[in-house]
Amino acid sequence: MVETSLRRLSERLGYHFHDTGLLKQALTHRSVGDTNNERLEFLGDAVLSVVIADYLFREYPEASEGELTRLRASLVKGSTLAEVARHLEIGHCLILGGGEMKSGGHRRSSTLSDALEAIVGAIFLESGLDVCRERIIDWFGMLLDSPLDAGNKDAKTRLQEHLQGRGMALPLYEVVATEGDPHNQVFTVACQVPGIGEPARGKASSRKKAEKMAAELALKILQDKSDE
């Protein structure tokens, strides 16, 4: 039963441990005894912070240091990690002491976030940073693609709101060029909005990123014109 539960968890994680003992340790709460997940949690916390910081640095090239710091904090805080852990159904597999189990420890946000960090640490020990990065980005999914807080809406959202607020037509995005090999493509996207003449263009390693860059440029042009 336990092995089946761990196998299903591995499928949800998208990672199969060569050493299942390492996964079990990552799931073991300190209420069980001295052999628990606290050291793995310490390691995973550091790895998670590096991966998220690296992702934000690359995905938000126009963000200031302060903005990047706030974005990272919103993603690595306990409530966000617990949300990811719940999505992965980690709580069903936690190994808890009797008292912790009776008090609902498998549902507690702090316990879930600690276990997620410990799993990151365990994967790092077994397979290294690149595999950790791939898994973390996959687990966080839409949390990384959506506006991360009210004060940091992405460029496409801000452009749309700018146009709607002035009763103008919404932007049109079009891929006008695709370059490179299938596994290493570069997309050029044109963003057409009223009032800027030639479409604004963005060029990036994904269509989504290119659209954001084009929207950012279009918004800047509109704002510059309104300041004239």
Side-chain angles (χ1 to χ4, degrees):
M1 182 67 177
V2 173
E3 296 304 319
T4 299
S5 179
L6 292 179
R7 186 174 66 253
R8 288 174 177 169
L9 175 60
S10 293
E11 290 171 356
R12 294 193 295 273
L13 294 173
Y15 179 85
H16 292 269
F17 281 86
H18 301 294
D19 179 2
T20 55
L22 199 56
L23 175 57
K24 288 178 181 177
Q25 184 180 347
L27 295 167
T28 302
H29 189 260
R30 63 178 177 272
S31 59
V32 173
D34 292 337
T35 303
N36 56 57
N37 64 7
E38 288 187 325
R39 283 174 55 83
L40 287 174
E41 175 200 338
F42 164 80
L43 180 60
D45 174 67
V47 173
L48 187 64
S49 184
V50 167
V51 169
I52 295 296
D54 177 67
Y55 181 91
L56 293 174
F57 182 85
R58 297 174 188 277
E59 294 292 316
Y60 295 86
E62 303 302 321
S64 68
E65 183 270 342
E67 289 171 330
L68 291 172
T69 298
R70 288 192 294 274
L71 292 176
R72 181 182 60 184
S74 73
L75 285 165
V76 301
K77 66 183 180 181
S79 59
T80 303
L81 300 185
E83 179 184 342
V84 174
R86 289 190 180 97
H87 178 72
L88 294 169
E89 299 180 24
I90 288 174
H92 299 320
C93 302
L94 291 174
I95 301 169
L96 308 170
E100 190 68 17
M101 188 178 298
K102 289 178 182 177
S103 65
H106 64 285
R107 295 189 299 270
R108 190 170 294 118
S109 291
S110 59
T111 304
L112 289 168
S113 62
D114 290 349
L116 180 67
E117 289 177 334
I119 289 171
V120 170
I123 293 174
F124 176 78
L125 285 179
E126 190 170 86
S127 296
L129 185 60
D130 287 343
V131 173
C132 271
R133 179 183 292 110
E134 178 187 278
R135 291 297 84 223
I136 290 167
I137 291 173
D138 179 63
W139 299 340
F140 277 70
M142 291 301 294
L143 293 173
L144 292 169
D145 291 332
S146 62
L148 299 176
D149 59 47
N152 195 78
K153 294 177 181 177
D154 74 341
K156 291 179 67 177
T157 300
R158 287 186 283 116
L159 176 60
Q160 180 171 316
E161 290 179 350
H162 178 94
L163 296 170
Q164 287 177 326
R166 289 159 179 77
M168 301 167 72
L170 295 180
L172 297 175
Y173 297 94
E174 179 185 5
V175 177
V176 295
T178 305
E179 307 166 60
D181 299 326
H183 64 283
N184 190 32
Q185 290 186 320
V186 176
F187 297 84
T188 300
V189 169
C191 174
Q192 179 64 63
V193 299
I196 68 170
E198 290 295 317
R201 297 194 174 207
K203 190 173 184 178
S205 59
S206 73
R207 175 173 179 166
K208 185 178 295 184
K209 284 190 269 188
E211 287 178 349
K212 288 179 181 178
M213 293 176 69
E216 190 76 58
L217 178 57
L219 185 59
K220 184 178 186 305
I221 294 171
L222 287 170
Q223 289 171 337
D224 287 346
K225 283 181 175 293
S226 66
D227 291 338
E228 292 176 353

